[in-house]
Amino acid sequence: MTQKDRHKWNTRYRKNTTIPRVRPIIERFYHLAKKGKVLDLAAGLGANSLFLAKKGFTVFTIDISDIALLPLSHRHSNLFPICIDLDTWDIPSNFFDLILNIRFLKRRLFPQIIEGLKPDGVLIAETYLADVPGCCKKTSSCRDYFLRANELLHAFLPLKLVYYHEELIAKNGEKGRSAGLVGIKQPLYI
């Protein structure tokens, strides 16, 4: 599946090289994290990664598309692009001060994201919801790419919740819903 996915995303990024805008949730909450190591999951063209690198973070930018990542290594010395398949890669434990999970859904990574944060580490997550009438009628597999209502909230209950939203979004004339969460991993006191 790796080669098929890589081909799909490489084709997309060959056609669209416009770097998107930094997500507002990141601009609003990145300052909660200590300046240290960031993991940007499925970073695509790396707008969020570049923003954080310029703010002084060391950013590990992960994506399956080598085409998307190639220009990033030349954009900032604090960026470390890594082409890897998130279907098989595991997040190292207690390593990151900030993890971004934006517009990407891989449920198997939820517990690893929590474990991957250092104590006081921050998670900023935002992706699409499936609870719009008519969503996912084409195939049942598309449910794999959309959250259910409150799913993001429940998945990260071990974190101290700082912010949560589920809201209607409009994109290219189509309506959808998005969920966003900011949480902090609490240190364990003995």
Side-chain angles (χ1 to χ4, degrees):
M1 184 140 160
T2 300
Q3 291 304 320
K4 182 180 174 185
D5 287 342
R6 181 165 288 129
H7 176 73
K8 172 184 141 184
W9 288 105
N10 278 345
T11 300
R12 179 178 178 174
Y13 290 124
R14 274 189 196 100
K15 292 178 183 176
N16 182 9
T17 58
T18 305
I19 297 175
R21 186 177 173 272
V22 175
R23 299 296 309 151
I25 194 171
I26 294 169
E27 291 176 317
R28 184 173 170 195
F29 292 106
Y30 80 91
H31 69 276
L32 296 175
K34 294 175 186 169
K35 291 260 171 62
K37 292 179 271 211
V38 175
L39 175 63
D40 189 356
L41 295 167
L45 295 170
N48 301 317
S49 292
L50 185 58
F51 171 79
L52 292 169
K54 289 178 179 179
K55 297 290 183 185
F57 291 89
T58 300
V59 185
F60 297 89
T61 306
I62 308 291
D63 202 276
I64 197 165
S65 172
D66 50 343
I67 297 296
L69 295 174
L70 186 61
L72 288 177
S73 59
H74 306 293
R75 291 210 170 118
H76 200 283
S77 60
N78 285 355
L79 280 177
F80 297 93
I82 303 168
C83 185
I84 204 154
D85 182 1
L86 289 169
D87 284 337
T88 57
W89 184 70
D90 293 327
I91 298 170
S93 294
N94 296 306
F95 192 76
F96 296 101
D97 299 287
L98 174 60
I99 295 179
L100 304 180
N101 188 17
I102 305 296
R103 303 287 192 243
F104 174 74
L105 181 60
K106 186 66 64 185
R107 289 174 179 91
R108 80 166 194 90
L109 293 177
F110 287 174
Q112 292 183 35
I113 289 169
I114 295 169
E115 287 298 315
L117 290 169
K118 292 178 181 177
D120 294 321
V122 177
L123 167 64
I124 301 176
E126 186 177 59
T127 197
Y128 300 106
L129 288 165
D131 63 345
V132 175
C135 180
C136 296
K137 284 189 175 178
K138 292 179 185 173
T139 66
S140 61
S141 68
C142 81
R143 289 185 194 97
D144 294 341
Y145 305 104
F146 295 91
L147 291 166
R148 290 177 274 296
N150 294 315
E151 182 180 3
L152 190 64
L153 180 64
H154 291 284
F156 293 102
L157 281 176
L159 302 179
K160 178 184 174 192
L161 185 67
V162 174
Y163 172 79
Y164 185 75
H165 78 262
E166 290 189 8
E167 63 188 9
L168 185 66
I169 55 171
K171 183 178 179 183
N172 300 329
E174 294 183 27
K175 292 182 180 177
R177 289 181 53 80
S178 174
L181 177 140
V182 177
I184 300 174
K185 184 175 181 178
Q186 297 299 288
L188 296 174
Y189 297 103
I190 299 175

